[in-house]
Amino acid sequence: MFGDLTSAEKLYVEPYLDAAFTRKAPGEKFSALINPASYTCKYEFEYDDTQAGGRSSVKMKFNKIKPQKFTFDFLFDSTGVVKNASILNISVANPFAKPVSVAEQLEGFKKKIIEFKGDTHRPYYLKIHWGTLLFKGVLNQIDIEYKVFATDGTPIRAVAKCAFTESIEDELREAIENKQSSDITHERIFVETDRIDRITEQIYARNEFYVDVAFFNELDSFRNIKPGSKLYFPPLEKQ
């Protein structure tokens, strides 16, 4: 579940106040006590599986790619067995100091990661850093499992199972989206060597829609199109 205790580079999480990740939240970042041995990255693709009446099968029409999801486990420990053994603090660590309680560790985690901010009316946006990983998103679920207890019932070890969902600001999202989909309106400047049926085939993967495209653009003829003309190729469902 968890990796090397002595790793100098710890996984850490930085909270931000805005979706563009330009305004850091006040306070310190959260650093994992122990790096996880693994994490899960989930990709989901959404299709329209509407089936016409009287048909035994359906053609799956691509709709969208859902935001990526990541899951991590964070360890909280006050048994005294697990130490924060990073190079940065190993020389100043006090071996006789009383470990911070699990309750206090979890409270610090909540303040840095999931505390609801009254001024923005929402929890923080989060950046997760670890090695080559840089994930931007929000925490949408946390399950805390208490695993070890003192004789009086006080939890002295817990694991927070966290699920994060990717969050990309609108300008960046629009810049990286695939604009070649046949589900959006395309614009082309017609040149002398073009043929409307070939352009139609490139966009829709079928050329029989060229008559509809000509009608949509109010062309008198699809054979004599003036070079420099601006043509619009609408989504299939709008034709």
Side-chain angles (χ1 to χ4, degrees):
M1 180 183 295
F2 297 100
D4 185 6
L5 276 67
T6 62
S7 175
E9 184 177 10
K10 296 292 184 181
L11 182 151
Y12 65 93
V13 184
E14 289 184 308
Y16 285 78
L17 298 174
D18 62 321
F21 295 89
T22 59
R23 293 189 297 140
K24 287 187 178 182
E28 298 179 356
K29 64 188 179 184
F30 171 79
S31 296
L33 179 63
I34 300 176
N35 287 332
S38 64
Y39 58 85
T40 301
C41 175
K42 183 177 182 180
Y43 297 86
E44 288 187 89
F45 305 88
E46 184 176 287
Y47 290 85
D48 182 2
D49 60 355
T50 303
Q51 184 172 345
R55 295 190 178 181
S56 59
S57 60
V58 60
K59 179 181 179 181
M60 301 294 288
K61 182 180 179 182
F62 175 75
N63 185 16
K64 63 181 179 182
I65 300 176
K66 293 184 177 181
Q68 297 179 33
K69 294 184 179 180
F70 279 80
T71 56
F72 293 91
D73 291 350
F74 294 104
L75 176 69
F76 300 90
D77 184 278
S78 63
T79 62
V81 175
V82 179
K83 300 289 185 181
N84 188 341
S86 70
I87 292 176
L88 296 178
N89 66 11
I90 194 169
S91 61
V92 297
N94 182 357
F96 303 103
K98 182 179 179 180
V100 179
S101 70
V102 164
E104 291 175 302
Q105 292 177 43
L106 286 170
E107 186 62 27
F109 174 77
K110 292 176 184 178
K111 285 185 176 181
K112 295 177 181 179
I113 304 300
I114 63 176
E115 185 178 59
F116 186 89
K117 302 306 295 178
D119 53 344
T120 57
H121 304 288
R122 56 158 301 121
Y124 292 127
Y125 293 92
L126 305 171
K127 272 187 184 180
I128 302 175
H129 302 258
W130 187 31
T132 58
L133 171 67
L134 174 58
F135 173 78
K136 298 179 180 180
V138 295
L139 175 66
N140 62 290
Q141 183 175 331
I142 176 171
D143 298 307
I144 300 175
E145 180 182 2
Y146 297 94
K147 303 178 72 70
V148 181
F149 303 87
T151 54
D152 63 354
T154 301
I156 54 177
R157 179 171 293 174
V159 174
K161 301 178 182 294
C162 299
F164 301 87
T165 300
E166 180 184 40
S167 177
I168 301 178
E169 59 271 30
D170 290 339
E171 290 185 3
L172 177 59
R173 174 182 53 79
E174 291 173 2
I176 64 177
E177 279 180 348
N178 181 6
K179 298 301 184 181
Q180 301 305 310
S181 171
S182 60
D183 292 329
I184 62 176
T185 297
H186 294 261
E187 178 182 306
R188 294 286 190 275
I189 301 299
F190 194 85
V191 298
E192 189 173 0
T193 56
D194 277 337
R195 282 177 43 179
I196 192 171
D197 57 333
R198 290 176 178 172
I199 302 175
T200 303
E201 185 173 15
Q202 290 173 0
I203 294 175
Y204 302 117
R206 298 164 65 182
N207 67 5
E208 62 261 36
F209 294 116
Y210 70 91
V211 176
D212 302 275
V213 171
F215 178 79
F216 183 85
N217 286 273
E218 301 179 346
L219 298 176
D220 295 329
S221 171
F222 55 80
R223 291 190 177 90
N224 299 312
I225 302 175
K226 184 178 179 180
S229 299
K230 184 180 293 185
L231 302 181
Y232 296 95
F233 296 78
L236 293 176
E237 57 268 25
K238 292 185 179 181
Q239 295 197 42

